[in-house]
Amino acid sequence: MIINANAKVKKIWTDKMLYVMLLPAMIYFFVLHVWPIIGMKLAFYEYRILGTNVFVGMKYFKELFSTPIFSQVLANTLIISAMKIFLIFPIPIIFALMLNEFMNGKFRKAVQVISYLPHFLSWVVIAGIWFEFLSPSTGVINEIIQFFGFPTHDFLTDKSSIRWILVASEAWRGIGWDSILFLAAILGISPSLYEAAYVDGANRWHIITRIVLPALYVPMVTIFILNVGFIMNAGLDQVLNFTNDSVNSQIDIIDTYVYRMGLLNGQYSFATAANLFKSVIGVVLVLSTHFISKKLTSKGAW
């Protein structure tokens, strides 16, 4: 036992520079992801700027569930997240399959680079682009509508279209970046499988359905489980940049509700309770989806 411990210590010391390089990432996750978990206890206390916080148990959770607006906020969160999960999830997979079919390597790389770029833009920039794109006076979409003789339409203030705009802008931003994992799995397929398939007379459709898609099965299951776990995160940055008084009732989500109640109204304990509720539901969904997938397909997130 002592020999093994000494060997591990020696190994760590040998690779000390690698651990030093890892240190900034560890500090980042501890400060921004681990330490805030301790602060979640504020949901069970009445926050006081001066003096000691008073333990109030489930008081703020009872207030949260009895607040009329919370049911609408929760419904908006689930609807928007479900639309993003089920409508956007297949798009990066299809995009990766299309990239794999490009025989010209330079053209494929160019398409990849162009498709990756929106991922690195902030939602402020993306919202500005979409505002210009959908502008009722100068937007491309409305110019096309006018060309065919129809009146212009302000999509950004239309309650029936704003959720679809959120989904479309999210898909546009993430299609290239989200396809990386699937494309890597495709490129990792052994060339001998393709050669054997061609020898047996398989066409491209057979190769895609019998070789390529099975190779994507594990990453598809993993990403879907993680997406379900984030169903309570409908996109705070995105909603804040796309919201306005006309459509706020349709896209007011838990994150914007927490932001409004906590940072704007100063109800820190109440906002913490709402955020803790969201986090617990997310953990339960990840675990449930993982174990159900394990049971049915023997594949899970881990």
Side-chain angles (χ1 to χ4, degrees):
M1 183 69 69
I2 297 177
I3 296 176
N4 291 336
N6 291 334
K8 291 180 179 179
V9 171
K10 186 177 180 180
K11 176 65 176 176
I12 292 174
W13 179 253
T14 302
D15 298 331
K16 58 182 179 297
M17 292 308 300
L18 298 177
Y19 288 98
V20 171
M21 295 173 63
L22 184 62
L23 188 60
M26 295 176 63
I27 294 175
Y28 165 80
F29 278 100
F30 179 79
V31 173
L32 296 181
H33 295 275
V34 178
W35 183 257
I37 295 176
I38 301 174
M40 285 292 184
K41 68 180 182 179
L42 186 61
F44 304 97
Y45 288 82
E46 180 180 346
Y47 175 75
R48 294 180 177 178
I49 298 178
L50 300 176
T52 306
N53 298 336
V54 179
F55 180 77
V56 293
M58 303 296 290
K59 172 186 175 182
Y60 292 108
F61 290 96
K62 294 177 181 178
E63 290 183 6
L64 178 68
F65 298 137
S66 62
T67 303
I69 193 176
F70 181 72
S71 59
Q72 180 62 45
V73 168
L74 179 60
N76 289 341
T77 302
L78 294 175
I79 292 172
I80 294 173
S81 293
M83 290 175 67
K84 289 182 177 180
I85 290 174
F86 294 105
L87 296 179
I88 296 178
F89 180 75
I91 296 178
I93 302 172
I94 297 173
F95 186 67
L97 293 173
M98 292 174 59
L99 287 176
N100 186 56
E101 294 302 309
F102 289 149
M103 301 302 294
N104 189 322
K106 293 183 179 179
F107 180 72
R108 180 170 63 186
K109 291 179 180 179
V111 173
Q112 285 180 271
V113 171
I114 294 173
S115 65
Y116 294 165
L117 290 178
H119 175 78
F120 299 99
L121 300 177
S122 70
W123 275 111
V124 176
V125 177
I126 293 175
I129 294 173
W130 279 76
F131 288 166
E132 290 296 324
F133 188 67
L134 298 172
S135 171
S137 57
T138 60
V140 175
I141 296 298
N142 275 295
E143 288 185 357
I144 295 174
I145 292 175
Q146 280 185 311
F147 178 80
F148 287 101
F150 295 99
T152 60
H153 184 75
D154 192 352
F155 295 96
L156 295 169
T157 59
D158 185 358
K159 291 182 179 180
S160 63
S161 61
I162 188 62
R163 288 173 177 169
W164 295 102
I165 293 174
L166 295 182
V167 173
S169 59
E170 179 72 37
W172 177 75
R173 181 177 186 263
I175 180 174
W177 186 260
D178 294 342
S179 67
I180 292 177
L181 181 61
F182 299 112
L183 186 60
I186 294 174
L187 296 178
I189 298 174
S190 174
S192 61
L193 293 178
Y194 294 114
E195 295 172 0
Y198 283 124
V199 170
D200 291 339
N203 55 33
R204 292 303 302 174
W205 176 251
H206 293 146
I207 290 175
I208 292 173
T209 56
R210 305 294 177 84
I211 297 178
V212 178
L213 287 180
L216 298 179
Y217 182 69
V218 173
M220 285 169 59
V221 171
T222 303
I223 292 177
F224 182 78
I225 291 174
L226 296 177
N227 286 346
V228 170
F230 285 103
I231 197 171
M232 301 297 283
N233 296 325
L236 172 63
D237 294 344
Q238 183 188 31
V239 172
L240 284 178
N241 283 282
F242 278 92
T243 192
N244 55 70
D245 292 338
S246 299
V247 299
N248 187 58
S249 60
Q250 296 296 305
I251 60 174
D252 188 20
I253 58 176
I254 292 180
D255 285 334
T256 56
Y257 184 63
V258 170
Y259 167 77
R260 188 167 61 252
M261 300 302 295
L263 295 181
L264 300 184
N265 297 344
Q267 300 182 31
Y268 302 115
S269 297
F270 183 85
T272 303
N275 200 50
L276 181 58
F277 166 76
K278 184 195 77 170
S279 301
V280 171
I281 295 299
V283 172
V284 171
L285 287 173
V286 167
L287 294 177
S288 301
T289 312
H290 166 73
F291 288 117
I292 292 173
S293 178
K294 273 282 192 180
K295 188 73 173 179
L296 297 178
T297 66
S298 74
K299 303 292 183 181
W302 57 86

